[in-house]
Amino acid sequence: MIRTSFLQDLLATIFERSVDRPPSHDRRSLAEMCKALLSERGEASGTLIAAAILGRYEAASAQEKQGFFQLLERAYDLDCESLIGAAETYRRNRDFNTLSELLRAAEPPRQELLRRLNRVAGATGRLVKMREDLLAMIGDEPSLRCVDLDFQHLFSSWFNRGFLVLRRIDWATPANILEKIIAYEAVHRISDWDDLRRRLEPPDRRCFAFFHPAMPDEPLIFVEVALTTEIAASVQQLLSRDHAAIREAEANTAVFYSISNCQRGLAGVSFGNFLIKQVATDLSQSLPNLKSFTTLSPVPGFARWLSSQVTEANGDVERVKSASRILEASSPDDLEQVRSETLRLAAEYVLHAKRSDGLPLDPVARFHLGNGARVERIQALADTSSKGLAEGRGVMVNYSYDLNSVEANHEAYIHHGEIIAARSVRALLGAALAQHHARGTQNA
């Protein structure tokens, strides 16, 4: 990442602070300031107003913040009559001017308000935090979803892949960023600094994160990678304190074992698909001995789905018994006794359990299959942590990323609903169940 000189940074900071400092005498309400910001033509004074709005919002109570979002919803929504009129005019006369007017009328004024707020230095990260507040309120006030649509629309442009910077995170990375890696880890908790060091410092460990130039000290998403000699079957083995590191040249497999989104305010803005493919591409170029790129992924909805099978098995007694035995197993030793049943039902869950829209029920499966991965293996007793047992009954899945076939797999999944799975995974289903579910799943 290109860095300016110390003097340039210092002068830029002084200028930004002098311009963006909100006027202490401004006693206008948030509503009055928003109206002034949209009508302000002078860029310098507009930035002052924007800084004042952001400062006032951040100092507000939860109730006052809710009032701000209600203002955005009601006062800065589409003018439907203007939109209908512009559409009718464009239908009769399709030229540059009528199209320009139609596009202007089709955009809620709050989008321009958010753009003007973003002119303040450092405002992008503050707006991400603002959306985090908004998302927390939508459950109680669904009408605010209209406001969130505008945040999503703008963030999808501001956080476009072309603006993202991929950085390797290692033990020499500044401590303030390492602290955030510890805090943001969402899959396998990092217990302390020694635990973090074991994930970053050995020669067979990697961590990569996406950053945005407007938020240089805030990782957006990061992935942890283990370089191994085989497809990993246990996350506890990967994270063991007794792990014996191997040399880079000995590794032939890269295992992506944890992917964590860091900013709740960027929910719905996809980074993970770019991250995995970019890291896989970079690793394949720097370490040509790597031949396989796989994940070791959780199945967070498996236990919940098993519970539904107990109550909704439609008279299938054996199915109820199998699901019940898996759910009643209280320890890894107990789960070992029902290994074959666990693998069979886990295969069915990953390959065939669907939402009402036809997409996989499991959120992790939706993510990786949508990226063009194939289901390579299903592993029993792969995560024996309390979380892994409670949510996935110890099951984890290896999704394989073959850089030569991910695009074709993605197209087959998106356009035809085909889930690409290894023959060994399909075999877990059993002949009768495999025949029943043959449509929509393809052997690899």
Side-chain angles (χ1 to χ4, degrees), residues 2 26 40 85 246 296 298 344 389 395:
I2 300 175
D26 197 331
E40 181 57 57
I246 63 173
L296 185 60
R344 175 171 57 82
L389 293 174
V395 172

Side-chain angles (χ1 to χ4, degrees), residues 66 69 129-141 144 148 264:
Q66 185 176 21
F69 293 128
K129 295 295 183 185
M130 182 183 288
R131 185 180 178 231
E132 186 176 327
D133 294 338
L134 173 62
L135 291 173
M137 296 177 185
I138 284 177
D140 294 327
E141 195 164 352
L144 295 180
D148 187 49
R264 287 194 294 271

Side-chain angles (χ1 to χ4, degrees), residues 51 111 352:
Q111 283 192 23
H352 298 303

